[in-house]
Amino acid sequence: MPEQSPTPKKRRRGRLFRFSAAFVVLLAVAGYLVVQYVTGGRGGPGCKVVSGKDDGQEFEFTQEQTMNAATIAAVGTGRGMPERAVTIALATAIQESQLVNITHGDRDSLGLFQQRPSQGWGTEKQIMDPTYAASVFYEHLAKVDDYQKLPLTVAAQRVQRSGYPEAYAKHEPDATLLSAALTGQSAATLTCQGLPDTTVTTTGPDAVRAALVRDFGREVLKETGAEVTGGGTTSKSTSESKAKAESKSKDKSTATPSPSASATGGSSTVTLPVRSGSTKTGWQLAHWAVANSSALHIDRVSYAGREWAAGSANDPWHSTGTKAAGGVRIQTEGPTGQ
């Protein structure tokens, strides 16, 4: 007997299934294109921040996003702003740009906070500088009366004047996790894969110092004595400058770290002395180094008896098995480009 043709009902089911499958694929492609538009096509090694309260909360994002978040946090603390201000700034940047320094937006909006040159936020060049963008955001936030007592979305809106005033609230949980890690409130809670950015040509102690000054301000480097003897380089500092750095690191009245550097076997180590009792500052610097690990080719970061090593964002900080000493130690691949 000849085969019976499919019933109209079966044909409708087949068309519905094909339509549903095509719709799912279309959504996936659209989502991919949106991500590419927002990030400018930039992917990169992954990072993860977890809650210091052991409650299972976590937030995953790219190394580029992490580096921008670390800059926002460093600028805030450098200006003496409280952790709440940093949380507000991070939530705002997540909403406005997904923490990517984008060159486009609504009308003439630019950068991490989608600030507009035509509205007096600065020149295009200034706004595209993450340090400047964060600084001018905090400048405006500080003028908001009792901003620390306001709901986050209200405080952010009084600075941004957005067309979507409630949009910032949904990012508060992620911003809170980031802020706790990047201001040093939570210890050993930020990890990154730390795979080197091959487009970067300048690494080593000088690059680390320059990045510290960029984000925290010049006060972070009271003295920059360096001794680099490995990796085919020669020492540029004297024993006298090293002694001064060591002496200053022991001065408990000094609020900012004084980096020293050494190198062996093709890698360089920058040490940021942290005064006794300033573990919050120490963890901020340690997490900052992890956040910048890809751009600065940082292999290892050690502090307070814990160590992070480049490789995977899922690898937690582990115990070094040695007595914690020497402040924050940042090991880079070497003095390339010095």
Side-chain angles (χ1 to χ4, degrees):
M1 292 180 64
E3 294 183 2
Q4 293 184 346
S5 61
T7 65
K9 187 175 182 179
K10 289 182 178 179
R11 285 197 296 269
R12 285 196 298 271
R13 288 178 177 174
R15 285 197 298 269
L16 180 60
F17 175 79
R18 289 193 295 273
F19 175 78
S20 299
F23 184 68
V24 170
V25 172
L26 181 62
L27 285 178
V29 172
Y32 171 79
L33 291 175
V34 168
V35 171
Q36 294 301 301
Y37 174 78
V38 170
T39 65
R42 297 181 289 267
C47 298
K48 180 168 67 175
V49 62
V50 299
S51 172
K53 300 177 181 178
D54 197 26
D55 54 13
Q57 293 188 58
E58 63 179 47
F59 176 41
E60 295 186 10
F61 48 126
T62 69
Q63 186 98 40
E64 179 184 6
Q65 290 171 308
T66 314
M67 185 167 66
N68 287 328
T71 292
I72 291 171
V75 171
T77 55
R79 292 178 62 95
M81 302 294 282
E83 183 186 1
R84 179 62 175 173
V86 174
T87 301
I88 295 169
L90 289 171
T92 302
I94 293 173
Q95 167 61 28
E96 298 290 357
S97 68
Q98 288 296 302
L99 287 169
V100 176
N101 197 28
I102 51 180
T103 59
H104 49 260
D106 179 43
R107 288 172 281 190
D108 60 337
S109 299
L110 296 168
L112 293 175
F113 295 91
Q114 289 292 278
Q115 294 155 338
R116 299 180 59 191
S118 65
Q119 300 302 305
W121 286 93
T123 65
E124 292 185 9
K125 182 178 180 181
Q126 287 175 323
I127 291 172
M128 289 304 297
D129 176 359
T131 302
Y132 172 88
S135 182
V136 74
F137 176 88
Y138 288 120
E139 180 181 327
H140 282 72
L141 179 62
K143 296 176 182 178
V144 176
D145 292 337
D146 295 325
Y147 72 85
Q148 293 193 67
K149 299 178 181 179
L150 295 174
L152 182 145
T153 194
V154 174
Q157 174 62 5
R158 290 189 181 176
V159 175
Q160 297 293 105
R161 307 296 181 183
S162 169
Y164 304 93
E166 301 300 322
Y168 306 105
K170 63 179 178 286
H171 301 296
E172 185 167 1
D174 292 337
T176 299
L177 286 181
L178 269 175
S179 180
L182 294 173
T183 60
Q185 297 286 351
S186 296
T189 53
L190 176 68
T191 56
C192 289
Q193 287 181 336
L195 301 180
D197 184 346
T198 57
T199 66
V200 175
T201 59
T202 302
T203 62
D206 287 349
V208 171
R209 291 193 196 92
L212 281 165
V213 171
R214 175 199 70 202
D215 287 358
F216 290 93
R218 294 190 178 278
E219 287 299 308
V220 77
L221 301 184
K222 289 294 186 180
E223 190 168 328
T224 57
E227 184 176 2
V228 183
T229 57
T233 66
T234 58
S235 172
K236 292 185 179 182
S237 67
T238 64
S239 58
E240 181 181 357
S241 66
K242 184 177 180 181
K244 288 181 179 179
E246 291 175 347
S247 175
K248 193 164 189 178
S249 71
K250 294 177 182 178
D251 182 359
K252 294 186 178 182
S253 66
T254 302
T256 53
S258 304
S260 61
S262 61
T264 57
S267 65
S268 302
T269 300
V270 177
T271 301
L272 307 176
V274 178
R275 67 177 181 175
S276 178
S278 297
T279 55
K280 177 182 172 182
T281 298
W283 279 113
Q284 178 173 22
L285 292 168
H287 285 152
W288 175 91
V290 172
N292 284 273
S293 57
S294 181
L296 297 175
H297 291 208
I298 292 172
D299 289 331
R300 295 179 184 276
V301 180
S302 304
Y303 178 62
R306 306 286 292 277
E307 182 177 81
W308 165 88
S312 172
N314 294 318
D315 288 341
W317 288 72
H318 60 272
S319 173
T320 60
T322 59
K323 184 178 180 180
V328 180
R329 293 173 59 83
I330 303 171
Q331 180 178 306
T332 68
E333 283 187 344
T336 305
Q338 293 188 66

